[in-house]
Amino acid sequence: MPYSELLVRPMREELSSIGVRELRTPDEVDAFLNEKTGTAMLVVNSVCGCAAGMARPGVRLALEGERRPDRVASVFAGQDLDATARARAFIADIPPSSPSIAFFKDGELVYFMPRHRIEGRDAHQVAHDLTQVFAEFCAVPATT
Amino acid sequence: MGTFHQNKGELHGITVIVDTTGPEIFVGRCDDMDARGIFLHDVDVHRDGDAGRSKEDYVKRASRFGVFKKYDHLMIPRDRIASVRRLGEIG
């Protein structure tokens, strides 16, 4: 059963405030994940403080780096049920996990950080792993 | 910010591997551990040798992607537990 929206709103805003687009419906998920060019990161947000409390700041820190994905979005597990189910259908071979982070290049899943790789770690450690993924797959921004 | 749970052990909320003294090995999210045993959520179980995979083969795969749960909740009695490890610590 979903938690009160009052409780969840700050957890949504922790990501949306840094430019992570929140996908609330299956159609929004389809539109995001059916775009196959470039790099995309999908965060499966979660209420659980044991892991999500480190995942969100870890994502924020990683996105502050020089390299970042072309597109970043989130779905909220346990809250936006249809959107989350639709997102998981795109990576059906991967066991459901929340929080978790999926990274796509040209529409292909190239990296997945399941919940157990977030648990017990701090935001800097999560960010470190993501930064390595960005370094491998994301282009260096053009200088003007 | 998130929800936090008081009065639980250090493994609360952590995905663990529970190896047993028998052929079964379990992966699940620990709720708590006490004198009776360990209480897990979203639990998968593997029997040594099933699908041609040893316990360690199973653990290696679980450490990369996680597991598909077979049970919502499970309690493993203490006298059957050989070891408890964090899945996230498997290289």
Side-chain angles (χ1 to χ4, degrees):
Chain A
M1 190 172 77
Y3 284 87
S4 157
E5 191 58 32
L6 198 63
L7 172 77
V8 168
R9 189 177 304 134
M11 304 174 197
R12 296 186 186 277
E13 291 174 351
E14 195 173 347
L15 290 178
S16 63
S17 66
I18 55 170
V20 177
R21 184 179 157 206
E22 194 170 26
L23 310 175
R24 306 285 299 265
T25 69
D27 285 348
E28 290 175 346
V29 172
D30 283 344
F32 182 80
L33 289 176
N34 280 329
E35 188 176 337
K36 303 294 187 188
T37 56
T39 53
M41 185 168 79
L42 180 70
V43 180
V44 180
N45 202 352
S46 166
V47 167
C48 176
C50 306
M54 291 300 113
R56 289 186 296 267
V59 167
R60 177 176 53 77
L61 287 171
L63 291 176
E64 289 173 354
E66 183 187 28
R67 296 192 192 199
R68 51 176 291 161
D70 299 324
R71 306 183 304 283
V72 186
S74 69
V75 293
F76 209 126
Q79 297 297 127
D80 299 325
L81 306 181
D82 292 342
T84 304
R86 186 71 189 123
R88 286 176 170 158
F90 277 84
I91 50 173
D93 291 342
I94 304 289
S97 181
S98 61
S100 60
I101 300 168
F103 192 93
F104 302 84
K105 182 170 176 60
D106 297 332
E108 181 186 352
L109 180 72
V110 292
Y111 175 78
F112 185 73
M113 181 184 287
R115 173 194 170 95
H116 66 265
R117 294 283 175 208
I118 301 170
E119 297 164 347
R121 305 176 78 205
D122 65 29
H124 290 278
Q125 292 171 308
V126 172
H128 175 265
D129 285 4
L130 293 177
T131 301
Q132 288 190 313
V133 175
F134 297 172
E136 182 175 355
F137 295 106
C138 300
V140 179
T143 53
T144 54
Chain B
M1 176 177 178
T3 55
F4 296 90
H5 312 278
Q6 305 298 322
N7 305 316
K8 300 280 188 178
E10 65 173 302
L11 289 177
H12 175 70
I14 303 294
T15 306
V16 295
I17 310 156
V18 181
D19 198 359
T20 69
T21 53
E24 296 91 3
I25 187 165
F26 298 86
V27 170
R29 195 172 71 256
C30 181
D31 182 71
D32 208 356
M33 196 169 176
D34 64 17
R36 291 169 291 174
I38 188 165
F39 298 81
L40 302 177
H41 299 295
D42 300 334
V43 190
D44 187 32
V45 57
H46 175 76
R47 289 178 64 89
D48 194 22
D50 276 1
R53 289 206 303 251
S54 68
K55 286 183 177 181
E56 278 313 302
D57 293 337
Y58 167 78
V59 167
K60 281 180 189 167
R61 179 171 173 76
S63 75
R64 287 191 67 195
F65 301 115
V67 296
F68 287 98
K69 71 174 179 180
K70 289 192 177 81
Y71 304 99
D72 289 337
H73 316 285
L74 206 63
M75 194 278 278
I76 303 161
R78 183 170 282 272
D79 62 4
R80 288 188 57 201
I81 298 172
S83 68
V84 178
R85 293 178 285 168
R86 292 174 184 240
L87 182 59
E89 291 179 351
I90 303 298

